[in-house]
Amino acid sequence: MKLMNLYIWKRLNDGIMIRRTHYFLFFSLSLLLAVFFILDLFLGSVHIPVKESIHILSGNSDNSNWSYILLQMRLPRALNALITGSGLAIAGLMMQTLFRNPLAGPYVLGISSGASLGVAIYVMSSGVFGFIIGAGIYNYGMILSAVAGAVLIFLLVILVASRIRDSVSLLIVGIMFGSLTTAIVSILQYFSRPELVHKFVIWTLGSLSSVGWDQLLIMMGFILTGLIVSVFLIKPMNAFLLGEMNAEATGVNIVRIRYLILFGVSIIAGSLTAFNGPIAFIGLIAPHISRMIFNTTNHRILFPACMLTGTILLLGCDIISQVPGKYIMLPINAITALIGAPVVVWIIIGKRKMKTAF
Amino acid sequence: MLKDSLNPKSMLHTQELSIGYTYRGSESVLQSGLNLKLFESDFVCLIGPNGCGKSTLIRTLGGLQKSMSGDVFIEDEKLTSLGYSTRSQLINTVLTDRTAVDHITVEEVVVLGRYTFTNWIGSLSGPDKDFISNSIHEVGLSGFEDRMLSTLSDGERQRVFIAKALASDAPLLLLDEPTAHLDISNRVEVLTLLRNLSITSGHTCLVSTHDLDLALQLADEIWLMLPDQGMICCTPEEIVQQDYLDEVFGNNTLFFNSESGNFALRGESIYKIQLKESTSIPEYALRTFERLGFMVSQKAGALASIGVDNEGWIISTGLIEIKRLTLSEACRILKKLRLRVK
């Protein structure tokens, strides 16, 4: 009992136990995030000395090349990783709680594929309908079509999830939706002009660096909207942990919450997929890592924890994908898969029975 | 005036309620024409064979499932006209399905009972905290607040969910098989806990259970659900007296003994064993033999003869005689002899 008292540092006003370890973890994760962010700025194919970088950032440098690389390429890219990482992690967290399925995530359940479908239709129909997509294809039309595609697939997944309870079956359905959209996209490609197909294929490779300041601001607006909606879902999501019917008995309007989650996830996953291409695994594993290191399922702790872990993961993957010092760049999706796939296998082995959700 | 003050306060009643479910477009009605009443401080046990609609009734009364027809009223207000939060402040349902979450503490579960009272992010006020600590105390889990749900026994888990329902301060508690998966002492504990709540704090409890004997001993009223539509609502003693239980639950091997008030297996004592001359065997041993299907008699021509002396049990078949047996050993030999006869 004495030991317990030492361990529990403070019981907050809301009755949620915040342990000393939680504060320590938040602090160290923030520190790690800062380190990764700086590393992401400083490392890259072009070597910029640290001293010079500081000069550029403080605004007194005359090396215009380095200044351009740092301010117009690396900084938006690192900020993009920040937003995208936390957005993916929150989308994954919400989906895992909604479906009470440890393997749910925007990529696995086909939400990203839905967004791809939206983008494909948008990009390639520009050939059919004759409207011109400018040099930067990243604009509102693209985001909105990606979000619409995400909403469509999410609605289908919710519809199927209400029929089947088995979490593995739901995943298979998600994969099927993914294949279906891929098939539709390939048919679209067949009928499209080669230059449009080329644009689309480049997009599917996924990259954090295709975003400049203008697009970054647009995307930030969308993702922040999604995140603000999600903050209001923290309390109902805690009630969802005990199952939908229990949540309803607790006084949750489950239908409304379900659609708010749909809205939040679709707008987050849709907009970030529109600009970065489909990014796998981050949304799936960040909530797991957060749950594991914080040892809780309480969304008031998990929410900020997921944003931190998601961002750290994506920044880490981005640093690796740039292969510091070499003039090559690997696709970000390959790196997230290299890290993510083993983690997923480890989750499945650790669960043995897929019955308990978290 | 005085008479009015003695009238019990109605907490819940139904009007021609039909319950059931729709599966792939086809309706399946489990029970219909139900006119049920629950009053303040009632402790009612809902019993009935599997599949007759106990859980469906609990869910329908709790507003978690649509009724097929008819209405449920809570304190004279239609259940369907109540908003989500008003409803859960009046009526709280505790469901069977074992929650699949492990990394959640006892307190975090109970905090959810205050869901409709807290603000958008779920901060607790002073009274909220009192309700939470009181209800944890009432179910006897003080000191367990920070334990993870996964480290608790099934009985303790069940009590956590009862505490969650108590924390909501709803006067009506509906519990769907709270004693499932529990061992006998935990079953007694959970049911007596609920009964004491109805006595001390005036909660109205409707509990579905398969523990007939406990229900008969503890309930104020029994709702016996019949498989072929219909419900009998009366006191446990009336249920016992009128042989309803034998009708519903009895079968080839099981019957309800209304004299002793519990279930017994129908004996099938076909094989006779002879009592050795000038010996008498104790009453409990007679029951042992009877359970195994042997009838002890004085007549000759039986399977074997049996006796007991200071050294132990004796079995003789005419050819051989075995002495110094324990009761279990004697039973095994008798069973072997019976097999040979077959």
Side-chain angles (χ1 to χ4, degrees):
Chain A
M1 210 52 222
K2 251 285 158 52
L3 251 172
M4 271 300 256
N5 284 339
L6 271 176
Y7 189 48
I8 302 159
W9 183 42
K10 188 181 167 198
R11 195 175 283 277
L12 275 194
N13 245 356
D14 40 39
I16 291 169
M17 183 179 50
I18 301 272
R19 297 193 183 97
R20 188 194 292 231
T21 45
H22 284 169
Y23 281 106
F24 173 73
L25 285 169
F26 275 125
F27 175 74
S28 15
L29 284 180
S30 310
L31 207 67
L32 196 62
L33 172 64
V35 170
F36 271 43
F37 189 81
I38 292 166
L39 280 179
D40 200 33
L41 280 183
F42 287 177
L43 297 176
S45 32
V46 178
H47 177 73
I48 305 174
V50 178
K51 209 174 167 188
E52 188 62 30
S53 304
I54 294 164
H55 279 304
I56 295 168
L57 287 175
S58 56
N60 37 28
S61 164
D62 28 285
N63 189 325
S64 62
N65 274 346
W66 282 354
S67 167
Y68 181 83
I69 289 173
L70 197 64
L71 292 179
Q72 298 302 319
M73 292 171 76
R74 286 192 192 168
L75 193 57
R77 179 192 173 114
L79 285 173
N80 184 8
L82 215 70
I83 308 166
T84 304
S86 45
L88 281 170
I90 295 299
L93 175 69
M94 290 202 284
M95 293 185 76
Q96 288 176 8
T97 302
L98 175 66
F99 295 115
R100 298 217 299 152
N101 187 333
L103 294 182
Y107 192 83
V108 190
L109 288 188
I111 310 302
S112 305
S113 315
S116 313
L117 180 65
V119 170
I121 291 174
Y122 178 74
V123 170
M124 292 181 223
S125 67
S126 67
V128 179
F129 297 114
F131 63 83
I132 297 148
I133 303 172
I137 57 165
Y138 305 102
N139 55 24
Y140 286 108
M142 183 139 151
I143 286 202
L144 291 176
S145 41
V147 172
V151 168
L152 176 77
I153 298 293
F154 205 140
L155 274 174
L156 286 173
V157 172
I158 285 186
L159 203 71
V160 173
S162 66
R163 298 269 167 125
I164 51 168
R165 299 257 156 228
D166 182 22
S167 47
V168 178
S169 309
L170 185 66
L171 296 180
I172 294 170
V173 170
I175 293 165
M176 288 305 118
F177 281 141
S179 312
L180 217 67
T181 48
T182 316
I184 297 172
V185 169
S186 355
I187 294 169
L188 275 177
Q189 286 180 351
Y190 186 78
F191 289 107
S192 299
R193 291 210 313 272
E195 63 268 29
L196 293 176
V197 173
H198 180 73
K199 264 183 186 166
F200 181 74
V201 169
I202 298 275
W203 174 84
T204 53
L205 290 177
S207 160
L208 294 173
S209 51
S210 43
V211 175
W213 282 107
D214 296 343
Q215 293 94 31
L216 191 68
L217 288 177
I218 299 172
M219 191 171 85
M220 213 184 258
F222 274 86
I223 290 182
L224 275 181
T225 314
L227 287 179
I228 288 167
V229 171
S230 321
V231 170
F232 283 92
L233 294 173
I234 288 178
K235 182 181 157 187
M237 282 199 292
N238 275 339
F240 261 71
L241 285 175
L242 301 180
E244 285 199 1
M245 211 179 258
N246 261 315
E248 204 181 350
T250 307
V252 184
N253 183 344
I254 51 169
V255 177
R256 187 167 72 197
I257 299 303
R258 204 185 284 149
Y259 285 107
L260 280 175
I261 293 180
L262 170 121
F263 175 76
V265 168
S266 301
I267 199 168
I268 292 175
S271 54
L272 62 85
T273 307
F275 282 165
N276 300 315
I279 295 177
F281 289 107
I282 302 290
L284 171 55
I285 64 174
H288 280 282
I289 293 174
S290 311
R291 266 186 224 108
M292 195 189 64
I293 59 182
F294 284 85
N295 193 24
T296 183
T297 43
N298 192 327
H299 290 81
R300 289 182 76 168
I301 294 166
L302 278 186
F303 196 92
C306 279
M307 288 177 74
L308 283 172
T309 43
T311 312
I312 291 168
L313 278 172
L314 195 59
L315 277 172
C317 290
D318 190 43
I319 293 168
I320 298 170
S321 79
Q322 295 179 66
V323 200
K326 297 269 191 299
Y327 286 95
I328 49 168
M329 200 161 82
L330 302 171
I332 186 87
N333 240 337
I335 311 297
T336 57
L338 269 181
I339 294 170
V343 176
V344 173
V345 173
W346 165 74
I347 291 167
I348 294 174
I349 291 171
K351 286 276 183 253
R352 261 170 282 140
K353 274 193 305 178
M354 291 295 286
K355 265 190 167 169
T356 55
F358 309 116
Chain B
M1 201 60 198
L2 186 71
K3 206 183 157 199
D4 276 355
S5 71
L6 280 178
N7 270 349
K9 185 184 170 198
S10 167
M11 296 303 292
L12 180 149
H13 69 276
T14 65
Q15 248 173 28
E16 293 298 320
L17 179 73
S18 295
I19 57 166
Y21 50 87
T22 317
Y23 184 68
R24 296 199 175 160
S26 66
E27 287 189 356
S28 163
V29 176
L30 291 167
Q31 298 280 341
S32 59
L34 299 176
N35 291 302
L36 304 164
K37 283 191 177 74
L38 275 176
F39 294 97
E40 193 177 26
S41 188
D42 269 358
F43 179 67
V44 176
C45 285
L46 173 62
I47 58 177
N50 280 332
C52 66
K54 291 194 299 291
S55 297
T56 310
L57 179 65
I58 296 262
R59 286 199 292 264
T60 311
L61 294 182
L64 305 177
Q65 190 171 337
K66 276 190 192 134
S67 64
M68 306 306 278
S69 69
D71 288 308
V72 180
F73 294 87
I74 299 187
E75 293 183 7
D76 302 323
E77 188 121 23
K78 238 189 204 177
L79 180 66
T80 45
S81 69
L82 296 173
Y84 279 90
S85 53
T86 333
R87 189 183 73 202
S88 64
Q89 284 170 20
L90 284 172
I91 191 162
N92 217 301
T93 317
V94 179
L95 299 159
T96 343
D97 56 330
R98 286 197 45 178
T99 146
V101 185
D102 284 340
H103 290 275
I104 189 165
T105 65
V106 170
E107 193 174 22
E108 280 168 343
V109 174
V110 181
V111 164
L112 289 176
R114 300 301 295 169
Y115 185 87
T116 52
F117 298 91
T118 54
N119 65 1
W120 66 275
I121 190 94
S123 299
L124 300 174
S125 67
D128 288 333
K129 277 185 258 182
D130 291 343
F131 271 113
I132 289 159
S133 60
N134 285 345
S135 46
I136 291 178
H137 177 76
E138 254 180 295
V139 299
L141 287 177
S142 303
F144 281 62
E145 284 88 348
D146 302 322
R147 287 272 298 273
M148 288 287 173
L149 207 57
S150 55
T151 65
L152 301 184
S153 71
D154 284 342
E156 287 162 346
R157 278 170 92 105
Q158 201 61 55
R159 283 189 279 160
V160 172
F161 285 96
I162 294 172
K164 169 180 168 271
L166 289 179
S168 72
D169 198 32
L172 256 169
L173 301 181
L174 309 179
L175 297 102
D176 189 15
E177 294 193 29
T179 55
H181 313 298
L182 301 189
D183 62 18
I184 181 72
S185 63
N186 274 309
R187 274 185 247 170
V188 175
E189 225 168 277
V190 165
L191 286 181
T192 45
L193 167 72
L194 291 169
R195 189 191 59 161
N196 293 343
L197 285 173
S198 78
I199 295 171
T200 56
S201 44
H203 281 93
T204 306
C205 299
L206 173 65
V207 182
S208 77
T209 181
H210 282 293
D211 290 296
L212 294 180
D213 36 353
L214 280 175
L216 290 175
Q217 286 176 59
L218 292 170
D220 298 340
E221 199 175 69
I222 296 282
W223 290 3
L224 174 61
M225 209 175 232
L226 308 174
D228 45 354
Q229 304 223 343
M231 264 176 86
I232 296 163
C233 307
C234 52
T235 63
E237 290 72 22
E238 286 168 307
I239 293 267
V240 169
Q241 199 56 45
Q242 300 183 9
D243 270 349
Y244 287 130
L245 291 174
D246 192 31
E247 231 167 81
V248 177
F249 293 100
N251 57 23
N252 294 336
T253 53
L254 189 74
F255 74 102
F256 188 78
N257 186 337
S258 54
E259 277 162 35
S260 64
N262 51 34
F263 281 91
L265 293 171
R266 288 186 206 281
E268 31 187 316
S269 40
I270 320 150
Y271 294 93
K272 286 188 179 128
I273 45 177
Q274 192 189 358
L275 191 62
K276 259 186 178 315
E277 278 168 42
S278 71
T279 50
S280 67
I281 60 174
E283 176 69 27
Y284 72 88
L286 279 177
R287 280 207 300 274
T288 310
F289 293 133
E290 206 169 292
R291 173 169 53 82
L292 290 168
F294 299 106
M295 209 162 78
V296 180
S297 70
Q298 305 285 350
K299 286 181 197 156
L303 193 66
S305 59
I306 190 156
V308 65
D309 62 16
N310 307 338
E311 291 177 309
W313 292 84
I314 306 157
I315 290 178
S316 56
T317 59
L319 293 167
I320 43 166
E321 188 170 69
I322 314 167
K323 287 186 177 184
R324 286 193 284 276
L325 296 165
T326 66
L327 186 55
S328 302
E329 284 167 345
C331 289
R332 283 194 199 105
I333 289 171
L334 286 174
K335 276 158 76 182
K336 204 147 200 185
L337 287 171
R338 179 173 62 186
L339 278 177
R340 275 199 197 150
V341 173
K342 269 184 182 169

